[in-house]
Amino acid sequence: MAFVDESGDDGLGNFRVPGRRGGSSQWLVLSACVFRQVYALEAVRWRDSISDKFVNKKSRTLHFMDLNHGQRTVAAQTIGALPLRTISVMAAKPPIPGGIYTAKNQLYFYMARYLVERISWLCRDHRPQVPEGDGRVRITFSRRGGMSYESFRAYLTHMRDQPDAGVNIHWPVIDIEAVDAQDHKKSASLQLVDAVASSFAAAVEPDFYGNCELRYAELLRPVTYHRGGNYLSYGVKMVPKYQDCGLDAQQSRFIELFK
């Protein structure tokens, strides 16, 4: 099972500047939490194990952006010890030339393609250790306004039926018809991946004061997908290449963590 959420928006232009309110995010981050279906019912307990640590929290529903730094640290720390894997694809938007992503949801679809690609590799790689099921993965998105999941299924079907040399999805493990969306508040699994996406975004998206927070992503490193210690091609994918993202000193520390 794979659960997907994003942090940031897909607006291109009028980027947010530290010290000012408003504007679109400088980064769009899509993340996935992938775990075996036998753990499906455990996700509620995992979520509750985080919420139960928060004093005076009236609801167990987890939303990372509503937490303070200490609570976010505990959330990332807890997720970093669970039997799952995380994958994050990260688009630096300011370097993207104008006129490329002009259609609605085009950038989101493009980044989701990279995410599905890596989900497929992970499921293919781990199939020998997973005896149950038929080897396919069910992908569930956190529902976002203005997003047609029927259109995204059609997008995947088009890529599968008309192969492109630049697309390396391992199609036998992707159950296109099972791709769907649920509401954040109704799914403990989506609340967990919300924390993952927000954690990775915090490492590169400057806050109001111009600071990035690496600690959350650092705590998630133990569950980040990699092959032989290679994270930046697998569990962490930057678009464009990180050398072309115009990273500052704080953001470069994130690269060093996963390099």
Side-chain angles (χ1 to χ4, degrees), residues 3-248:
F3 292 87
V4 178
D5 200 2
E6 81 274 0
S7 181
D9 55 73
D10 51 7
L12 294 171
N14 188 31
F15 296 115
R16 192 177 302 139
V17 176
R20 298 181 186 175
R21 302 292 182 184
S24 63
S25 63
Q26 295 187 27
W27 292 78
L28 173 62
V29 177
L30 274 69
S31 294
C33 279
V34 186
F35 52 83
R36 291 166 60 175
Q37 191 167 358
V38 293
Y39 292 120
L41 298 179
E42 289 290 294
V44 173
R45 186 177 63 82
W46 295 343
R47 188 275 315 276
D48 290 350
S49 71
I50 298 171
S51 297
D52 289 346
K53 293 182 174 73
F54 302 155
V55 179
N56 298 325
K57 195 173 190 303
K58 297 179 180 179
S59 169
R60 287 185 169 180
T61 301
L62 192 66
H63 198 284
F64 197 79
M65 297 308 294
D66 294 336
L67 307 180
N68 61 38
H69 172 68
Q71 292 170 330
R72 293 176 181 181
T73 301
V74 167
Q77 196 171 41
T78 304
I79 295 169
L82 294 175
L84 53 75
R85 288 293 177 267
T86 71
I87 303 168
S88 296
V89 295
M90 314 172 70
K93 297 190 295 177
I96 297 175
I100 295 181
Y101 302 108
T102 56
K104 186 177 182 180
N105 292 320
Q106 189 175 1
L107 175 60
Y108 186 93
F109 276 27
Y110 184 72
M111 295 305 295
R113 184 203 89 182
Y114 280 120
L115 190 65
V116 171
E117 189 173 61
R118 281 150 181 78
I119 290 171
S120 77
W121 299 345
L122 173 63
C123 294
R124 177 194 61 197
D125 292 351
H126 285 264
R127 178 58 178 164
Q129 290 81 46
V130 182
E132 66 271 9
D134 61 6
R136 294 188 298 168
V137 59
R138 180 186 182 96
I139 302 174
T140 302
F141 286 82
S142 182
R143 197 184 311 279
R144 65 196 299 259
M147 172 79 171
S148 168
Y149 296 93
E150 181 179 353
S151 295
F152 186 70
R153 289 191 292 270
Y155 175 67
L156 291 176
T157 301
H158 175 78
M159 286 192 292
R160 182 195 63 192
D161 295 346
Q162 299 187 36
D164 183 290
V167 178
N168 295 303
I169 295 172
H170 184 65
W171 292 110
V173 304
I174 301 298
D175 188 349
I176 295 177
E177 294 306 313
V179 172
D180 68 350
Q182 295 179 12
D183 293 333
H184 169 95
K185 64 182 180 181
K186 294 181 179 179
S187 169
S189 299
L190 289 175
Q191 292 166 39
L192 294 173
V193 74
D194 163 71
V196 173
S198 297
S199 292
F200 277 84
V204 292
E205 180 77 38
D207 63 15
F208 182 79
Y209 301 99
N211 294 314
C212 299
E213 178 54 70
L214 183 63
R215 178 62 172 154
Y216 318 133
E218 182 179 26
L219 289 167
L220 291 170
R221 190 175 185 274
V223 293
T224 302
Y225 174 42
H226 67 90
R227 272 192 195 165
N230 181 351
Y231 292 87
L232 293 178
S233 297
Y234 296 95
V236 181
K237 166 69 175 177
M238 280 198 168
V239 178
K241 293 180 180 180
Y242 72 84
Q243 297 94 332
D244 300 322
C245 287
L247 304 180
D248 63 18

